[in-house]
Amino acid sequence: MKKRLLDVFYDYQPLYFFIIIGNIISSIYGYYFYWEQFLAAPWYKWIFVPDCPLYDTLFILAFILIKHKKSNDFLNILVITNTVKYGLWTVLTIPLFSEMFLPAGVQTVIPLFGNLNLTFQLSSLNWLLVFLHAIMALESLLIYPFVKKWHLGNILINISWLFINDIFDYCLNTYPTAQLNYMIHDPRINIIIAQNIIVNVFFLTLFLIKWRQQWVRGELKSV
């Protein structure tokens, strides 16, 4: 039943391409948002700067591979963990720091090309980002059922990656610099860090349970 429901997202072409195009647009906007920070960062920090757009892009790759029966378990686990983590990060962070992200009457301008710009109320744009990042987290459900083998190595590498990202974000300043100086010294940042740790530990526990189940059933050729 679950598989038949998921097949709609892969087999119904308009929906399949809608998801891909939506994630392409989201990725482009995300890279635009991080572009100046990316250029200013030393090369060894580049991979840690564009969190959401990077995993939107990898979601597209995982989604396409599944469609063409070439699913990759390591990539799937990477996409699941990070789309959930950074989707929920935005869902929490924008309302938590509402005085910065949701100010009344403040407009923001997004340049497109030439003299063409889009003007939004900043609060409306950021509420839209909350909604879209909630969708980003939910998209992990389109990938999760296609993890075939929960190999211990894949699990440990991906969970380690989650914690390494936190170290770079909160200790080495790959956190979005537009908000870094304001947020990093605010006690509310501890709520966000706590959420990150909870998400990391949740996935570690869930994946170890899945690994243990497959190990007991003899479904894994190696750990």
Side-chain angles (χ1 to χ4, degrees):
M1 184 66 178
K2 291 181 181 178
K3 186 67 167 56
R4 282 198 292 268
L5 179 61
L6 283 177
D7 284 344
V8 174
F9 292 91
Y10 291 93
D11 296 339
Y12 184 56
Q13 294 298 319
L15 181 57
Y16 173 75
F17 285 111
F18 175 79
I19 292 172
I20 291 178
I21 293 170
N23 278 276
I24 289 173
I25 295 171
S26 178
S27 298
I28 292 171
Y29 174 77
Y31 291 125
Y32 163 78
F33 178 84
Y34 283 103
W35 187 245
E36 290 185 4
Q37 181 180 351
F38 181 81
L39 293 178
W43 66 268
Y44 60 86
K45 288 185 179 181
W46 287 350
I47 192 70
F48 300 101
V49 172
D51 293 324
C52 292
L54 173 60
Y55 298 109
D56 271 338
T57 303
L58 292 178
F59 170 85
I60 296 169
L61 177 59
F63 194 61
I64 292 173
L65 288 176
I66 291 170
K67 166 75 171 178
H68 294 281
K69 313 299 183 185
K70 296 181 180 180
S71 178
N72 180 278
D73 288 337
F74 181 87
L75 176 63
N76 290 344
I77 294 172
L78 179 66
V79 169
I80 292 164
T81 51
N82 286 280
T83 54
V84 170
K85 180 175 182 175
Y86 293 109
L88 293 181
W89 182 93
T90 304
V91 169
L92 173 65
T93 300
I94 289 178
L96 187 63
F97 288 88
S98 59
E99 73 282 0
M100 177 169 57
F101 293 106
L102 305 171
V106 177
Q107 292 186 327
T108 185
V109 177
I110 300 177
L112 297 179
F113 51 87
N115 295 321
L116 183 61
N117 299 309
L118 289 178
T119 301
F120 293 92
Q121 290 291 327
L122 182 59
S123 59
S124 299
L125 176 62
N126 283 328
W127 276 123
L128 176 62
L129 291 179
V130 168
F131 172 76
L132 292 176
H133 282 79
I135 297 297
M136 175 183 175
L138 289 173
E139 281 185 329
S140 64
L141 297 175
L142 299 179
I143 305 296
Y144 179 82
F146 294 94
V147 179
K148 298 176 182 178
K149 301 290 185 181
W150 294 93
H151 287 295
L152 187 57
N154 287 348
I155 293 170
L156 295 181
I157 291 172
N158 275 284
I159 299 302
S160 297
W161 181 249
L162 294 181
F163 283 103
I164 290 170
N165 269 275
D166 288 338
I167 292 171
F168 269 80
D169 277 349
Y170 300 102
C171 299
L172 299 175
N173 297 352
T174 58
Y175 197 84
T177 53
Q179 292 85 36
L180 178 64
N181 292 333
Y182 178 86
M183 296 172 63
I184 203 70
H185 302 295
D186 190 300
R188 287 173 292 180
I189 198 69
N190 294 319
I191 299 175
I192 297 172
I193 294 173
Q195 177 185 261
N196 288 347
I197 294 172
I198 290 170
V199 170
N200 298 352
V201 173
F202 167 78
F203 278 123
L204 175 61
T205 304
L206 174 64
F207 294 167
L208 287 179
I209 290 172
K210 299 294 292 185
W211 166 76
R212 176 63 178 171
Q213 290 173 341
Q214 288 193 332
W215 176 258
V216 170
R217 293 196 297 263
E219 297 175 0
L220 299 175
K221 294 181 180 181
S222 64
V223 295

